[in-house]
Amino acid sequence: MRDDSVTSAEVLLDWYDRHARVMPWRVAPQDRLAGVRPDPYHVWLSEVMLQQTTVAAVRGYFMTFVTRWPRVEALAAAADEDVMALWAGLGYYARARNLLKCARAVVACGGAFPQTEEELRELPGIGPYTSAAIAAIAFDAPATVLDGNVERVMARLFRVADPLPGSKERLRGLAAGMTPLRRPGDYAQAVMDLGATICTPRSPSCGICPWFDRCAARTAGDAEVYPVKTPKKPKPVRGGTVFVAFRGDGAVLLETRPDSGLLGGTLGFPGTPWAEAPLDPCPPVRADWAPVGEVRHTFTHFHLRLAVQVARGVTAAPSEGRWRRDISPGEVPTVMAKAWRLALAH
């Protein structure tokens, strides 16, 4: 590492010691310097939850999980449906399925998380970013952590004009060159905090940035231009129909989606596949069905328009799914909760 990079790292660590965000899974820098070590289970769980999700959204979920399953052994022994139910609302349900697979793999190997990036990547659901984050934060390894915040900080610090995602590896190399051997775990969290609180996507607070006099984009006065991104293609629109059936006693018809595919393994209402050319709806049970409107939801790669049909006082046996009387919107994915609320309103 160059001498100026060492100095930059020390400046950032000094800022982090005074301004680190407080998070339930994080060991404060003062405690870490006093010898308190992070719990690898907490680090891993929070990093999986934080993928494609905000810190504000994750706090409550994290506390719920560690209260119910305080150790990786407890999570590994949990029923799949219980974990999927508590995950509802976090999105990207493949993460929840891999969460269970990973917990069980760790327990099968003795209950201790591996400490190197290479070994961590062999676990289900752990890719380059997550393995680097766990290695750095939990085990203080000098791993290069590259999330969206770090990409933005590096792109501005070095004024990288090449657009993302093509410039990702260059940004990774720049970030690696900045990573210190001293306190690499705190440094990784410091860069992420810097991007989340000061070097924000819009209106960065350059005047209070610890790297104020080191940032090429700030010096040029065009920090908001970076990182440059390749224009996104418009998202396609898909459609489908969902059927919300009520039995006379108030029970509702539910199904568990297949493990593979979008929302895999989650609880929801029977319906048609989602396609750009929607299929003719085929109800799961004989009843007087009434259309009550449409709900809309946006996934990573497409927009969804889901027609909702409702039937009440159903007496016939369904061709699929099962009846339940204790359903709540919190047990189902967000798009299904939207359909549920629309059905109740009618």
Side-chain angles (χ1 to χ4, degrees), residues 215-300:
C215 180
R218 196 281 311 166
T219 301
D222 57 0
E224 285 198 59
V225 172
Y226 303 94
V228 179
K229 295 184 179 180
T230 302
K232 295 182 179 179
K233 296 180 181 178
K235 292 182 179 180
V237 177
R238 298 180 186 175
T241 301
V242 65
F243 300 98
V244 184
F246 294 92
R247 208 164 54 184
D249 61 359
V252 65
L253 185 62
L254 297 171
E255 68 171 6
T256 300
R257 296 175 67 89
D259 285 340
S260 60
L262 197 60
L263 306 185
T266 62
L267 201 62
F269 305 106
T272 65
W274 304 339
E276 293 184 37
L279 303 174
D280 292 334
C282 181
V285 63
R286 293 193 308 275
D288 293 326
W289 291 95
V292 297
E294 178 185 87
V295 296
R296 299 186 179 190
H297 192 74
T298 296
F299 293 96
T300 304

Side-chain angles (χ1 to χ4, degrees), residues 69-342:
W69 302 298
R71 295 177 56 82
V72 69
E73 291 85 356
L75 179 60
D80 290 36
E81 57 268 24
D82 291 341
V83 174
M84 298 304 291
L86 286 190
W87 191 272
L90 269 177
Y92 296 89
Y93 290 89
R95 290 183 297 162
R97 297 194 298 275
N98 283 328
L99 190 79
L100 274 169
K101 293 178 182 177
C102 185
R104 290 163 183 166
V106 170
V107 170
C109 293
F113 281 84
Q115 298 189 20
T116 68
E117 288 184 78
E118 293 74 17
E119 291 175 305
L120 285 162
R121 272 189 224 178
E122 295 179 4
L123 294 172
I126 295 186
Y129 164 76
T130 307
S131 62
I134 297 171
I137 298 170
F139 303 112
D140 224 21
T144 302
V145 180
L146 191 74
D147 71 349
N149 285 316
V150 180
E151 288 177 346
R152 183 168 58 258
V153 170
M154 293 299 127
R156 289 172 175 173
L157 189 64
F158 294 98
R159 206 161 176 252
V160 176
D162 299 331
L164 282 166
S167 61
K168 182 178 288 287
E169 289 310 308
R170 182 183 176 192
L171 295 174
R172 188 186 306 280
L174 293 170
M178 298 289 292
T179 302
L181 295 177
R182 192 181 84 87
R183 300 177 63 190
D186 281 344
Y187 173 81
Q189 294 173 103
V191 182
M192 290 188 281
D193 276 14
L194 183 67
T197 63
I198 289 181
C199 196
T200 51
R202 296 180 181 84
S203 303
S205 302
C206 296
I208 59 172
C209 178
W211 281 347
F212 175 88
D213 58 353
R214 294 167 166 80
C215 180
R218 196 281 311 166
T219 301
D222 57 0
E224 285 198 59
V225 172
Y226 303 94
V228 179
K229 295 184 179 180
T230 302
K232 295 182 179 179
K233 296 180 181 178
K235 292 182 179 180
V237 177
R238 298 180 186 175
T241 301
V242 65
F243 300 98
V244 184
F246 294 92
R247 208 164 54 184
D249 61 359
V252 65
L253 185 62
L254 297 171
E255 68 171 6
T256 300
R257 296 175 67 89
D259 285 340
S260 60
L262 197 60
L263 306 185
T266 62
L267 201 62
F269 305 106
T272 65
W274 304 339
E276 293 184 37
L279 303 174
D280 292 334
C282 181
V285 63
R286 293 193 308 275
D288 293 326
W289 291 95
V292 297
E294 178 185 87
V295 296
R296 299 186 179 190
H297 192 74
T298 296
F299 293 96
T300 304
H301 301 298
F302 66 94
H303 301 291
L304 176 65
R305 295 180 178 177
L306 200 57
V308 180
Q309 294 195 25
V310 175
R312 300 187 180 278
V314 177
T315 58
S319 60
E320 56 186 282
R322 66 186 188 278
W323 296 103
R324 268 191 54 182
R325 298 186 62 180
D326 56 349
I327 179 67
S328 68
E331 292 183 76
V332 297
T334 302
V335 63
M336 293 295 171
K338 291 178 180 179
W340 173 244
R341 286 190 288 267
L342 179 60

